[in-house]
Structure formats: structure tokens, C-alpha cells
Coordinates of all heavy atoms in Angstrom, one line a residue:
F1 N 7.4 -12.9 1.2 CA 8.3 -12.0 0.5 C 7.6 -10.6 0.5 O 6.4 -10.5 0.3 CB 8.4 -12.5 -1.0 CG 9.4 -13.6 -1.2 CD1 9.0 -14.9 -1.1 CD2 10.7 -13.3 -1.5 CE1 9.9 -15.9 -1.2 CE2 11.6 -14.3 -1.7 CZ 11.2 -15.6 -1.6
L2 N 8.4 -9.6 0.8 CA 8.0 -8.2 0.8 C 8.9 -7.5 -0.2 O 10.1 -7.2 0.1 CB 8.2 -7.6 2.2 CG 7.5 -6.3 2.5 CD1 6.0 -6.3 2.2 CD2 7.8 -5.9 3.9
L3 N 8.4 -7.2 -1.4 CA 9.2 -6.7 -2.5 C 8.9 -5.3 -3.0 O 7.7 -5.1 -3.4 CB 9.1 -7.7 -3.7 CG 9.2 -9.2 -3.4 CD1 8.9 -10.0 -4.7 CD2 10.6 -9.5 -2.8
Q4 N 9.8 -4.4 -2.9 CA 9.6 -3.1 -3.5 C 9.7 -3.3 -5.0 O 10.6 -3.8 -5.5 CB 10.7 -2.1 -3.0 CG 10.4 -0.7 -3.6 CD 11.4 0.3 -3.0 OE1 12.1 0.1 -2.0 NE2 11.5 1.5 -3.7
S5 N 8.7 -2.8 -5.7 CA 8.5 -3.2 -7.1 C 8.3 -2.1 -8.1 O 7.7 -2.3 -9.2 CB 7.4 -4.3 -7.2 OG 6.2 -3.8 -6.7
N6 N 8.6 -0.9 -7.8 CA 8.4 0.2 -8.7 C 9.5 0.2 -9.8 O 10.7 0.2 -9.4 CB 8.3 1.6 -8.0 CG 9.5 1.8 -7.1 OD1 9.8 1.1 -6.2 ND2 10.3 2.9 -7.5
V7 N 9.2 0.2 -11.0 CA 10.1 0.2 -12.1 C 10.0 1.7 -12.7 O 9.1 2.0 -13.5 CB 9.8 -0.8 -13.2 CG1 10.9 -0.8 -14.3 CG2 9.7 -2.2 -12.6
S8 N 10.9 2.5 -12.3 CA 10.8 3.9 -12.7 C 11.1 4.2 -14.2 O 10.6 5.1 -14.8 CB 11.7 4.8 -11.8 OG 13.1 4.5 -12.0
Q9 N 11.9 3.4 -14.8 CA 12.3 3.5 -16.2 C 12.2 2.2 -16.9 O 13.3 1.6 -17.2 CB 13.7 4.1 -16.3 CG 13.8 5.6 -15.7 CD 15.2 6.1 -15.8 OE1 16.2 5.5 -15.4 NE2 15.3 7.3 -16.4
P10 N 11.0 1.8 -17.2 CA 10.9 0.4 -17.9 C 11.7 0.2 -19.1 O 12.2 -0.9 -19.4 CB 9.4 0.4 -18.1 CG 8.8 1.3 -17.2 CD 9.7 2.4 -17.0
R11 N 11.9 1.3 -19.9 CA 12.6 1.1 -21.2 C 14.1 0.8 -20.9 O 14.7 0.2 -21.8 CB 12.4 2.3 -22.1 CG 13.1 3.6 -21.6 CD 12.6 4.7 -22.5 NE 13.3 6.0 -22.1 CZ 14.3 6.5 -22.8 NH1 14.8 5.9 -23.9 NH2 14.8 7.7 -22.4
F12 N 14.6 1.2 -19.8 CA 16.0 0.9 -19.4 C 16.1 -0.4 -18.6 O 17.2 -0.9 -18.3 CB 16.6 2.0 -18.7 CG 16.8 3.3 -19.5 CD1 16.2 4.4 -19.2 CD2 17.5 3.2 -20.7 CE1 16.3 5.6 -19.9 CE2 17.6 4.4 -21.5 CZ 17.0 5.6 -21.1
N13 N 14.9 -0.9 -18.1 CA 14.9 -2.1 -17.3 C 13.8 -3.0 -17.8 O 12.8 -3.4 -17.1 CB 14.6 -1.7 -15.8 CG 15.7 -0.9 -15.2 OD1 16.7 -1.4 -14.8 ND2 15.5 0.4 -15.2
P14 N 13.9 -3.5 -19.0 CA 12.8 -4.3 -19.6 C 12.6 -5.6 -18.9 O 11.5 -6.1 -18.8 CB 13.3 -4.5 -21.1 CG 14.8 -4.3 -21.1 CD 15.0 -3.3 -20.0
R15 N 13.7 -6.2 -18.5 CA 13.6 -7.5 -17.8 C 12.9 -7.4 -16.5 O 12.1 -8.3 -16.1 CB 15.0 -8.2 -17.7 CG 15.6 -8.5 -19.0 CD 17.1 -9.0 -18.8 NE 17.2 -10.0 -17.9 CZ 18.0 -10.0 -16.8 NH1 18.8 -9.0 -16.6 NH2 18.1 -11.1 -16.0
S16 N 13.1 -6.3 -15.8 CA 12.4 -6.0 -14.5 C 11.0 -5.8 -14.7 O 10.1 -6.3 -14.0 CB 13.1 -4.8 -13.8 OG 14.4 -5.1 -13.4
A17 N 10.6 -5.1 -15.8 CA 9.2 -4.8 -16.1 C 8.5 -6.2 -16.4 O 7.4 -6.4 -16.0 CB 9.1 -3.9 -17.3
G18 N 9.2 -7.1 -17.1 CA 8.6 -8.4 -17.4 C 8.5 -9.2 -16.2 O 7.5 -9.9 -16.0
A19 N 9.5 -9.1 -15.3 CA 9.4 -9.9 -14.0 C 8.3 -9.4 -13.1 O 7.6 -10.2 -12.5 CB 10.7 -9.8 -13.3
L20 N 8.1 -8.1 -13.1 CA 7.0 -7.5 -12.3 C 5.6 -8.0 -12.9 O 4.7 -8.4 -12.1 CB 7.0 -6.0 -12.3 CG 5.9 -5.3 -11.6 CD1 5.8 -5.7 -10.1 CD2 6.1 -3.7 -11.7
A21 N 5.5 -8.0 -14.2 CA 4.2 -8.5 -14.8 C 4.0 -9.9 -14.4 O 2.8 -10.3 -14.2 CB 4.3 -8.3 -16.3
Q22 N 5.0 -10.7 -14.4 CA 4.9 -12.1 -14.1 C 4.5 -12.3 -12.6 O 3.6 -13.1 -12.3 CB 6.2 -12.8 -14.3 CG 6.2 -14.3 -14.0 CD 7.6 -15.0 -14.3 OE1 8.5 -14.4 -14.9 NE2 7.7 -16.2 -13.8
L23 N 5.1 -11.5 -11.7 CA 4.7 -11.6 -10.3 C 3.3 -11.2 -10.1 O 2.5 -11.7 -9.2 CB 5.6 -10.7 -9.5 CG 7.1 -11.2 -9.4 CD1 8.0 -10.1 -8.7 CD2 7.2 -12.5 -8.6
R24 N 2.8 -10.2 -10.8 CA 1.4 -9.8 -10.7 C 0.5 -10.8 -11.2 O -0.6 -11.0 -10.6 CB 1.2 -8.4 -11.5 CG 1.8 -7.2 -10.8 CD 1.7 -6.0 -11.6 NE 2.0 -4.8 -10.9 CZ 2.1 -3.6 -11.4 NH1 1.9 -3.4 -12.7 NH2 2.4 -2.5 -10.7
R25 N 0.8 -11.5 -12.2 CA 0.0 -12.6 -12.7 C -0.1 -13.8 -11.8 O -1.2 -14.3 -11.6 CB 0.5 -13.1 -14.1 CG 0.2 -12.1 -15.3 CD 0.5 -12.8 -16.6 NE 1.8 -13.5 -16.7 CZ 2.9 -12.8 -17.2 NH1 2.8 -11.6 -17.6 NH2 4.0 -13.5 -17.2
Q26 N 1.0 -14.1 -11.2 CA 1.1 -15.2 -10.3 C 0.3 -15.0 -9.0 O -0.4 -15.8 -8.5 CB 2.5 -15.6 -9.9 CG 3.3 -16.2 -11.1 CD 4.8 -16.3 -10.9 OE1 5.3 -15.6 -10.0 NE2 5.4 -17.2 -11.6
A27 N 0.4 -13.8 -8.4 CA -0.3 -13.4 -7.2 C -0.3 -14.4 -6.1 O -1.4 -14.8 -5.6 CB -1.7 -13.0 -7.6
Y28 N 0.9 -15.0 -5.8 CA 1.0 -16.0 -4.8 C 0.7 -15.4 -3.4 O 1.1 -14.3 -3.1 CB 2.4 -16.6 -4.8 CG 2.7 -17.4 -6.0 CD1 3.9 -17.2 -6.7 CD2 1.9 -18.5 -6.5 CE1 4.2 -18.0 -7.8 CE2 2.2 -19.2 -7.5 CZ 3.3 -19.0 -8.2 OH 3.6 -19.8 -9.3
P29 N 0.0 -16.2 -2.6 CA -0.1 -15.8 -1.2 C 1.3 -15.8 -0.6 O 2.1 -16.7 -0.9 CB -1.0 -16.9 -0.6 CG -0.9 -18.0 -1.5 CD -0.6 -17.5 -2.8
G30 N 1.5 -14.8 0.3 CA 2.9 -14.8 0.9 C 3.8 -14.0 0.1 O 5.0 -13.9 0.5
V31 N 3.4 -13.3 -1.0 CA 4.3 -12.5 -1.8 C 3.6 -11.1 -1.9 O 2.5 -11.0 -2.6 CB 4.5 -13.1 -3.2 CG1 5.4 -12.1 -4.0 CG2 5.2 -14.4 -3.1
E32 N 4.1 -10.1 -1.3 CA 3.5 -8.8 -1.3 C 4.4 -7.8 -2.1 O 5.6 -7.7 -1.8 CB 3.3 -8.3 0.1 CG 2.7 -6.9 0.2 CD 2.5 -6.4 1.6 OE1 2.8 -7.2 2.6 OE2 2.1 -5.2 1.8
L33 N 3.8 -7.2 -3.1 CA 4.4 -6.2 -3.9 C 4.2 -4.8 -3.3 O 3.0 -4.4 -3.2 CB 4.0 -6.3 -5.4 CG 4.2 -7.6 -6.0 CD1 3.6 -7.6 -7.5 CD2 5.6 -8.1 -6.0
V34 N 5.2 -4.1 -3.0 CA 5.1 -2.8 -2.4 C 5.5 -1.7 -3.4 O 6.4 -1.9 -4.1 CB 6.0 -2.7 -1.1 CG1 5.8 -1.3 -0.4 CG2 5.6 -3.8 -0.1
A35 N 4.8 -0.6 -3.3 CA 5.2 0.6 -4.2 C 5.2 0.2 -5.7 O 6.2 0.4 -6.3 CB 6.5 1.2 -3.8
R36 N 4.1 -0.4 -6.2 CA 4.1 -0.8 -7.6 C 4.3 0.3 -8.6 O 4.9 0.1 -9.6 CB 2.8 -1.6 -7.8 CG 2.6 -2.8 -7.0 CD 1.4 -3.5 -7.5 NE 1.0 -4.7 -6.7 CZ 0.1 -5.6 -7.0 NH1 -0.5 -5.4 -8.2 NH2 -0.2 -6.6 -6.3
D37 N 3.7 1.5 -8.2 CA 3.6 2.5 -9.2 C 4.4 3.8 -8.9 O 4.5 4.7 -9.7 CB 2.1 2.9 -9.5 CG 1.3 1.7 -9.9 OD1 1.7 1.0 -10.8 OD2 0.2 1.5 -9.2
A38 N 5.0 3.9 -7.7 CA 5.7 5.1 -7.4 C 6.8 4.7 -6.3 O 6.6 3.8 -5.6 CB 4.7 6.2 -6.8
P39 N 7.8 5.5 -6.2 CA 8.8 5.3 -5.2 C 8.2 5.4 -3.8 O 7.2 6.1 -3.6 CB 9.9 6.3 -5.4 CG 9.7 6.8 -6.8 CD 8.2 6.6 -7.1
L40 N 8.9 4.9 -2.8 CA 8.5 5.0 -1.4 C 9.0 6.3 -0.8 O 10.1 6.8 -1.2 CB 9.0 3.8 -0.6 CG 8.5 2.4 -0.9 CD1 9.2 1.4 -0.2 CD2 7.0 2.4 -0.6
S41 N 8.3 6.8 0.2 CA 8.9 8.0 0.9 C 10.0 7.4 1.8 O 10.1 6.2 2.1 CB 7.8 8.5 1.8 OG 7.4 7.6 2.8
P42 N 10.9 8.3 2.3 CA 12.0 7.8 3.2 C 11.4 7.1 4.4 O 12.0 6.0 4.8 CB 12.7 9.1 3.6 CG 12.4 10.0 2.5 CD 11.0 9.7 2.0
E43 N 10.3 7.5 5.0 CA 9.8 6.9 6.1 C 9.2 5.5 5.8 O 9.5 4.5 6.5 CB 8.6 7.7 6.7 CG 9.1 9.0 7.3 CD 9.5 10.1 6.3 OE1 9.0 9.9 5.1 OE2 10.2 11.0 6.7
A44 N 8.5 5.4 4.6 CA 8.0 4.1 4.2 C 9.1 3.1 3.8 O 9.0 1.9 4.1 CB 7.0 4.3 3.1

């Protein structure tokens, strides 16, 4: 899994913020979180 995971507005997306915290805790091999803290550039 390759998942873009930046939550730009957590207060409007509380369930997504919770899901991201869960994915970070699980830290499964084969699951990569991309752009956790900021949006991606167009090229990225």
C-alpha cells in the first residue's frame, strides 16, 4: 500500500485524522504513508 496521508484540516476530517493515527501505530510492513505532514508537489 502506498497512501498519501496528509490531513490538511483535521477538525473537518476527524475520522481521517483518527485513521491516520491508527495506521501510524500499526506500522505494518508493506504499508507506506506518503506526505504525512504536507501536500505533495505536482511532480511528486
